[in-house]
Amino acid sequence: MEATSDTSSEVTAQTDTVVRPVRDVDAEALGRVHAKCWHETYDHLISKAALENVSPKRLAELWTHWVSQGPDFKMFAALVDGEIVGFVGSGPARDRDAPRPRELYFIYLLDAYHGTGIGQKLFDAAIEPDEPVYLWVADDNPRAHRFYTRNGFTLDGATHTEPFLGETLTEVRFTR
């Protein structure tokens, strides 16, 4: 496994990485990457049967809606050699009792690109330096917890159970 990780890092270091706003034409590719990221991220938290019902087509339809939400919403894609490998989205807080005015809705990056700096580039595109922001993340996602802590977030003690693919997922809230 270590050789694979080293190879991925070496390959990524030699490729052309671009982070740019999401476009309407990205919806299908984003749907595919989104589905794969969910499999990679949640396979230890959600049953295989639930994850097998993730439809790249349905996620592409969601992306078509998300892309057109307006200037308060920041949606960016990371591309390596012209192929989408990750994405991020932030916008106005969705919770009634939101601790900050802005929320990081999601940030996903294909496993092969973890540890390459692309996740940080995505984060920096969607969140201003020192911007007050909050997010919800799966309680059992230590890699994400470390990433958010490095970016100045702390757990604020709030938790909730969220329906996810017909099952439930416990999430914790980080604020900055």
Side-chain angles (χ1 to χ4, degrees):
M1 293 274 273
E2 285 185 38
T4 303
S5 296
D6 291 341
T7 303
S8 295
S9 295
E10 289 171 18
V11 169
T12 303
Q14 299 171 5
T15 57
D16 182 25
T17 301
V18 173
V19 174
R20 61 155 173 79
V22 168
R23 304 173 185 154
D24 288 345
V25 296
D26 295 331
E28 187 178 323
L30 283 164
R32 282 193 309 273
V33 172
H34 200 153
K36 185 170 183 182
C37 285
W38 273 7
H39 281 278
E40 293 175 346
T41 303
Y42 300 114
D43 67 348
H44 69 291
L45 299 173
I46 300 293
S47 73
K48 184 177 179 182
L51 283 169
E52 286 176 352
N53 288 326
V54 172
S55 161
K57 183 179 178 184
R58 175 69 182 120
L59 290 171
E61 291 168 3
L62 288 174
W63 273 103
T64 301
H65 168 72
W66 289 337
V67 169
S68 62
Q69 287 189 305
D72 289 340
F73 296 83
K74 295 181 181 180
M75 304 288 171
F76 289 87
L79 291 81
V80 172
D81 293 335
E83 296 293 323
I84 293 175
V85 299
F87 53 88
V88 64
S90 70
R94 296 177 291 182
D95 297 311
R96 282 193 302 269
D97 63 342
R100 304 286 187 271
R102 187 159 198 82
E103 181 179 357
L104 178 63
Y105 302 141
F106 46 76
I107 182 169
Y108 287 103
L109 183 63
L110 293 172
D111 277 355
Y113 298 94
H114 286 183
T116 62
I118 296 173
Q120 188 64 51
K121 288 179 183 179
L122 282 166
F123 178 86
D124 293 343
I127 303 296
E128 297 296 323
D130 301 320
E131 181 176 16
V133 65
Y134 78 102
L135 61 96
W136 291 98
V137 63
D139 184 37
D140 186 11
N141 189 343
R143 180 181 199 96
H145 289 219
R146 289 189 301 273
F147 177 83
Y148 296 127
T149 300
R150 278 196 315 274
N151 280 283
F153 287 81
T154 57
L155 285 167
D156 72 359
T159 64
H160 69 203
T161 302
E162 187 72 20
F164 187 76
L165 303 177
E167 298 183 17
T168 58
L169 185 67
T170 300
E171 294 183 317
V172 293
R173 189 169 65 193
F174 278 84
T175 59
R176 179 176 87 171

